[in-house]
Amino acid sequence: MKQYLPAIALFFIFVTIYYIGSFTKIPFADCVGFVLSVEKGEFETVATATSHFLYTNTGIFIKNLTGFNAIEASRFLVVSSAAATVALIYLIVKTITKTQWTAITAAFVFGFSFSFWRNAEIVEVYTYNCLWVSLFFLSMVKTFIEKKNIHIILSSLFLGISLWIHIQNILLIPALLLFLFYFRKEKQYVYSSFILFVLLFSSLSILNMSQGLPFKSFYSSDQGTWVEDSLKQTPMQLVKDFFQSFVYLIYNFNIFIFFGIAGMGLLYKTNRQMFTVFFVAALLVYGFSTFYLVSDNYVFFLPFNIIFALSIGYGLSYAKYVSFKKFSWVCLLIPFGYIFAYHVVLLTEKGKEADAFKKYKGGMNYYMLPWMNENAGIVEFTVDNKVAPEPINWMTVSAKEYIKVLKSKGYTEEEIRKL
């Protein structure tokens, strides 16, 4: 139990941080749609690309079990999943490096990384997804480092479950197959693992087809043609996408990018098989996320960001960087980096223009500061019949339905405006 105390401490530290910074009012983006699903309390019975079957049903289960309202049940799920993921980052790095300070540093770097921190402060599926993806990574690392073959089976279990949360995780299947190939001599465990994964994966289609949906419904959506649009981009657009992805990486990991790159090199030298498995996973996720043509594509990098955070921890353990231990506390200054960047951007003309244009949802605060307390809310925006300078109809449609449901439960318009 003693060996898990740092992980438990990290969990409670980040639960506190994320709860303090959590949204005051339901934010823009897809948040109100998720809250609406939990508010209605109707369990999802299909697993499509946008239904996020397990996430939605877990939120409803928490609401029914605890008596929380839909907003607080959703907040609890998102924040606790985020804090647990940070604790898992610690455990994975500790397993690889056997060094506590590198594991703690990597956990703080990831916990403070912008994309993850932002998603810990709003109502979205991604921190819950990161929790299960991290468990998948932990199982593979445990197998490589500690030779505990039960984790071969657990790796398929966790990745299979994650597909019921977000179908993007099919990008991790090649990494799982390569992992199973490397341990092919452990036939009993590998066969059991493979069969378990096939059952979990195929059950997505079986569930949907049993309700009259087509076979491909688990990975497709009738709400948009994002994949098709992504494939139609010009070479210049692709270059722009790649540059943007690099900006995301810098904003998430700042100076620690150096240690992430060093960690890749070190892992390649010391454990070629584990390097290859994680490299395949990272490459597919990063490539897809870079060129996926949606406005919030930064969230799709999160499984890659987990891998990069693990690499940062491994890079810090490199003998030549051991002297950095006495400076590792600088990871605690990451929040101040966001504040600094925010104020610098507001000094520029383009920054001021962007701030004014996006004022309806909080201006540049919304885009550059991860915490969301005292934020602008989509429900209040919709109740007051405000008009945005850009299309946000998919948000307001869900907001109007949510308002209608609340009014049917006796909420006044003034009470709803505060949500």
Side-chain angles (χ1 to χ4, degrees), residues 343-407:
H343 286 291
V344 168
V345 166
L346 286 185
L347 291 175
T348 67
E349 285 304 315
K350 285 194 174 182
K352 292 175 183 177
E353 290 174 9
D355 185 61
F357 185 75
K358 299 290 186 177
K359 209 64 177 179
Y360 71 97
K361 57 180 175 181
M364 293 310 291
N365 288 40
Y366 182 86
Y367 290 94
M368 300 196 71
L369 301 178
W371 42 87
M372 290 291 291
N373 52 319
E374 301 302 324
N375 64 300
I378 180 63
V379 175
E380 180 182 32
F381 181 92
T382 305
V383 167
D384 292 340
N385 295 311
K386 294 180 180 178
V387 179
E390 58 186 336
I392 59 167
N393 57 297
W394 73 93
M395 303 182 208
T396 53
V397 166
S398 295
K400 288 176 181 177
E401 186 177 354
Y402 179 58
I403 292 166
K404 184 178 179 181
V405 170
L406 291 179
K407 285 184 175 180

Side-chain angles (χ1 to χ4, degrees), residues 137-373:
F137 291 156
L138 177 62
S139 296
M140 292 198 296
V141 167
K142 287 279 188 181
T143 307
F144 276 116
I145 303 298
E146 300 179 355
K147 310 301 180 185
K148 294 181 178 179
N149 290 335
I150 187 62
H151 289 284
I152 297 175
I153 297 175
L154 291 176
S155 63
S156 285
L157 173 66
F158 293 137
L159 183 59
I161 290 173
S162 77
L163 294 174
W164 288 81
I165 301 170
H166 204 297
I167 199 58
Q168 180 201 1
N169 296 327
I170 60 175
L171 297 169
L172 299 174
I173 294 176
L176 173 67
L177 296 178
L178 182 59
F179 166 73
L180 295 179
F181 174 76
Y182 284 145
F183 290 92
R184 60 192 180 279
K185 291 183 180 179
E186 307 294 338
K187 293 182 180 180
Q188 177 185 349
Y189 293 95
V190 168
Y191 290 161
S192 298
S193 181
F194 181 75
I195 291 170
L196 175 61
F197 181 75
V198 170
L199 288 174
L200 288 168
F201 190 13
S202 60
S203 58
L204 290 165
S205 290
I206 294 171
L207 174 67
N208 291 346
M209 289 191 293
S210 70
Q211 298 175 75
L213 295 177
F215 169 81
K216 67 176 184 177
S217 57
F218 73 91
Y219 66 85
S220 61
S221 172
D222 58 2
Q223 297 182 21
T225 56
W226 303 294
V227 174
E228 293 85 348
D229 294 341
S230 301
L231 296 173
K232 295 175 184 177
Q233 294 186 87
T234 65
M236 282 305 297
Q237 287 175 312
L238 296 176
V239 170
K240 181 181 177 182
D241 289 343
F242 183 77
F243 176 75
Q244 181 174 270
S245 72
F246 192 63
V247 171
Y248 288 158
L249 189 65
I250 294 172
Y251 205 61
N252 275 282
F253 296 111
N254 46 79
I255 63 170
F256 288 93
I257 288 177
F258 172 79
F259 296 104
I261 296 171
M264 293 179 202
L266 180 60
L267 187 59
Y268 179 80
K269 292 176 182 178
T270 58
N271 196 324
R272 191 72 55 86
Q273 289 186 346
M274 186 160 69
F275 167 84
T276 305
V277 168
F278 278 98
F279 180 78
V280 168
L283 183 65
L284 291 175
V285 172
Y286 191 89
F288 170 80
S289 305
T290 297
F291 303 118
Y292 192 36
L293 195 60
V294 291
S295 59
D296 61 345
N297 71 322
Y298 79 98
V299 296
F300 294 98
F301 286 94
L302 283 172
F304 166 83
N305 289 359
I306 294 173
I307 296 173
F308 198 79
L310 303 181
S311 188
I312 288 172
Y314 200 47
L316 288 168
S317 71
Y318 210 158
K320 66 168 71 175
Y321 303 130
V322 71
S323 61
F324 186 78
K325 179 179 180 180
K326 58 186 176 183
F327 300 108
S328 59
W329 55 268
V330 300
C331 66
L332 301 177
L333 301 180
I334 292 174
F336 296 101
Y338 299 132
I339 296 171
F340 176 76
Y342 166 73
H343 286 291
V344 168
V345 166
L346 286 185
L347 291 175
T348 67
E349 285 304 315
K350 285 194 174 182
K352 292 175 183 177
E353 290 174 9
D355 185 61
F357 185 75
K358 299 290 186 177
K359 209 64 177 179
Y360 71 97
K361 57 180 175 181
M364 293 310 291
N365 288 40
Y366 182 86
Y367 290 94
M368 300 196 71
L369 301 178
W371 42 87
M372 290 291 291
N373 52 319

